[in-house]
Amino acid sequence: MRIRIIEGMDSRMDHPDNPAEDVLAGVGPRLRALRRARSATLAALANETGLTASTLSRLENGKLRPTLEQLLPLARAHGVPLDDLVAAPPTGDPRIHLRPVRRSGLVMVPLTRRAGGIQAYKVIYPPAGRSPTMKLQTHEGYEWFYVLDGHARFVLGEREFRLGAGEAAEFDTRVPHWIGSADSRPVEVLTLFGAQGERAHLAPAGH
């Protein structure tokens, strides 16, 4: 009787209860949900991350095991911590684990964790003169912000405002706008915006 040895079998057969494999199996659906929440195509995400559309499709479908080199640009593109891609929040735990996101001199602390819809952030702007750019932005949507501490300089179209702690502003983001510190101190604001605003504020440096 001849026995043929088959090599290259999936290592998961030897470890059916491997928790690492369970974690990786959930990455694909989370990646797909994040991309669809942003209304981004595979081609657009490929341009943002440097990965091919084919690779992104295979990752989302679970046909390709993700690597750290692939997950890092995806986390940056979606504006979420790496931990959110590889492990879902504990079921039934209502607490939000605050993980700052640093973008172009700003510190943004996500206060919501669901994909899509209105997103809430605490944003810390650097002191005046230290912001890397003062380029006015435009995008679809509506935005609201409330000054928690310090003084904010708010440019909206051709008008300019100075807001102190306890003051709030809301505006149509199709009007060119910019927010920053008005003096030598950082300013902290609480802001709410939709998917388009989230992409605009969390875009990697150079976009």
Side-chain angles (χ1 to χ4, degrees), residues 3-43:
I3 300 176
R4 184 173 58 166
I5 299 176
I6 302 176
E7 298 180 351
M9 294 295 287
D10 194 329
S11 61
R12 285 177 292 182
M13 298 297 292
D14 298 328
H15 304 282
D17 297 320
N18 188 341
E21 293 295 343
D22 292 339
V23 169
L24 291 175
V27 172
R30 281 192 286 276
L31 289 174
R32 186 185 300 110
L34 286 166
R35 178 176 61 80
R36 289 179 176 176
R38 297 172 55 208
S39 300
T41 63
L42 287 172

Side-chain angles (χ1 to χ4, degrees), residues 10 20-21 24 28 31 41 50 53 55 63 66 69 81 87 94 110 170 173 177 179 183 187 194 200 202 204:
D10 194 329
E21 293 295 343
L24 291 175
L31 289 174
T41 63
T55 296
K63 296 179 179 178
E69 289 75 13
E170 57 180 346
T173 54
H177 58 278
I179 303 170
D183 52 37
V187 60
L202 290 177

Side-chain angles (χ1 to χ4, degrees), residues 126-128 150-154 161-163 178 180-187:
H151 291 88
R153 179 185 178 192
F154 175 39
F161 306 88
R162 179 187 173 101
L163 288 80
W178 181 87
S181 173
D183 52 37
S184 60
R185 295 178 52 214
V187 60

Side-chain angles (χ1 to χ4, degrees), residues 43-202:
L45 187 57
N47 287 333
E48 286 186 82
T49 61
L51 303 173
T52 67
S54 173
T55 296
L56 294 170
S57 177
R58 293 172 64 201
L59 287 171
E60 290 187 2
N61 292 328
K63 296 179 179 178
L64 180 65
R65 180 181 176 133
T67 65
L68 182 60
E69 289 75 13
Q70 294 165 336
L71 291 176
L72 284 173
L74 284 166
R76 285 194 294 267
H78 291 311
V80 298
L82 185 61
D83 288 352
D84 286 1
L85 293 184
V86 297
T91 303
D93 185 354
R95 292 172 299 176
I96 298 171
H97 303 284
L98 306 180
R99 299 185 180 95
V101 178
R102 297 181 182 276
R103 288 290 183 276
S104 303
L106 308 183
V107 178
M108 305 186 72
V109 184
L111 303 178
T112 49
R113 68 184 184 189
R114 68 186 182 93
I118 299 297
Q119 301 294 314
Y121 283 88
K122 175 182 177 181
V123 186
I124 304 174
Y125 294 91
R130 297 186 189 177
S131 179
T133 178
M134 217 192 114
K135 182 179 179 181
L136 274 64
Q137 295 179 325
T138 58
H139 51 85
E140 292 295 322
Y142 210 73
E143 191 167 329
W144 173 94
F145 73 89
Y146 174 89
V147 181
L148 296 169
D149 186 55
H151 291 88
R153 179 185 178 192
F154 175 39
V155 180
L156 184 66
E158 297 181 354
R159 304 181 67 187
E160 185 172 323
F161 306 88
R162 179 187 173 101
L163 288 80
E167 292 187 289
E170 57 180 346
F171 58 98
D172 186 332
T173 54
R174 290 174 297 182
V175 179
H177 58 278
W178 181 87
I179 303 170
S181 173
D183 52 37
S184 60
R185 295 178 52 214
V187 60
E188 299 182 10
V189 307
L190 174 65
T191 185
L192 302 176
F193 42 62
Q196 299 94 340
E198 185 179 22
R199 288 199 296 273
H201 288 275
L202 290 177

